Amino acid sequence: MSHLQQAEQSSDTERMFDADTKAMGYLPNYARLFAHSPAVYLAWQQLNGAVKAEMELRRYELATLAAARALKSSYCGLAHGKVLQDKFFDAPTVAAIASDHDSAGLSAQEVAVVNLAGKVAVDANSVIGADIVGLRSHGLDDTEIFRVILAVGARCFFSTVLSAAGAEPDPQYNESLDVNLRQALSFGG
């Protein structure tokens, strides 16, 4: 499951596990990892929920997938690629977005969002005014741009924690995603 041994059970972890199992239909590996710090997991859920609630779901998922790709997070790539497949695109399109978003049939605005998200995840200090102007030219206002940056920042935290701890993607992705899509979303970590 991860490089770390399983955390000891407590009433907090039991509540956490019950809630995640109820929401997901199974207990995800990342929940087992965050059992080492249930308060941080709760804070993460609140932060991510607030970020996600202020964005269009499609934009959030595209930005999140771009960040996962930049961070080489297979776990987050599989999770958010599945959402994109379930709600917005077919499997070949999601695979194309994961490998070459410029030619995947996204709108110019979505390509710009994915470009910014990848840049923020790889090197946030490399973002310059021209990047923001470019997004404005595609119809995003500063609040929408800031929300993309927030989504990437939150993903950087979560993906980094999962990768550093060696959390393995849930085996359920093997059942719910075809082999070509799984390969496209497996970014290496």
Side-chain angles (χ1 to χ4, degrees):
M1 183 204 67
S2 81
H3 302 314
L4 305 176
Q5 294 181 8
Q6 184 130 355
E8 291 187 30
Q9 295 288 342
S10 69
S11 58
D12 288 340
T13 59
E14 286 180 30
R15 281 191 298 278
M16 190 174 101
F17 289 175
D18 288 346
D20 279 0
T21 301
K22 189 175 194 178
M24 304 274 300
Y26 64 93
L27 183 62
N29 288 336
Y30 63 77
R32 291 181 181 97
L33 178 63
F34 273 95
H36 287 282
S37 187
V40 171
Y41 185 58
L42 178 61
W44 154 254
Q45 288 178 313
Q46 291 171 338
L47 171 66
N48 195 54
V51 169
K52 191 174 177 179
E54 294 186 335
M55 292 181 74
E56 296 173 8
L57 181 60
R58 180 169 161 144
R59 182 177 297 151
Y60 169 83
E61 293 297 340
L62 287 169
T64 300
L65 182 62
R69 178 176 65 188
L71 296 165
K72 298 183 174 120
S73 173
S74 295
Y75 201 139
C76 292
L78 290 162
H80 294 278
K82 180 171 178 4
V83 174
L84 286 168
Q85 176 192 270
D86 290 349
K87 297 195 179 281
F88 302 106
F89 304 104
D90 60 18
T93 302
V94 175
I97 293 167
S99 61
D100 181 16
H101 66 277
D102 287 318
S103 61
L106 297 175
S107 71
Q109 182 186 82
E110 290 172 329
V111 169
V113 166
V114 171
N115 288 340
L116 177 70
K119 192 171 187 176
V120 170
V122 169
D123 182 6
N125 289 317
S126 71
V127 176
I128 59 175
D131 297 313
I132 305 306
V133 169
L135 282 166
R136 286 183 193 133
S137 73
H138 289 293
L140 274 74
D141 64 30
D142 285 6
T143 299
E144 292 169 316
I145 295 166
F146 185 66
R147 289 174 179 158
V148 170
I149 294 167
L150 286 173
V152 175
R155 183 57 38 201
C156 287
F157 164 77
F158 200 72
S159 293
T160 300
V161 169
L162 297 187
S163 293
E168 294 179 14
D170 304 322
Q172 286 75 4
Y173 296 120
N174 291 331
E175 301 160 11
S176 61
L177 299 171
D178 72 54
V179 66
N180 293 327
L181 184 54
R182 282 196 319 270
Q183 288 175 341
L185 296 170
S186 295
F187 300 129

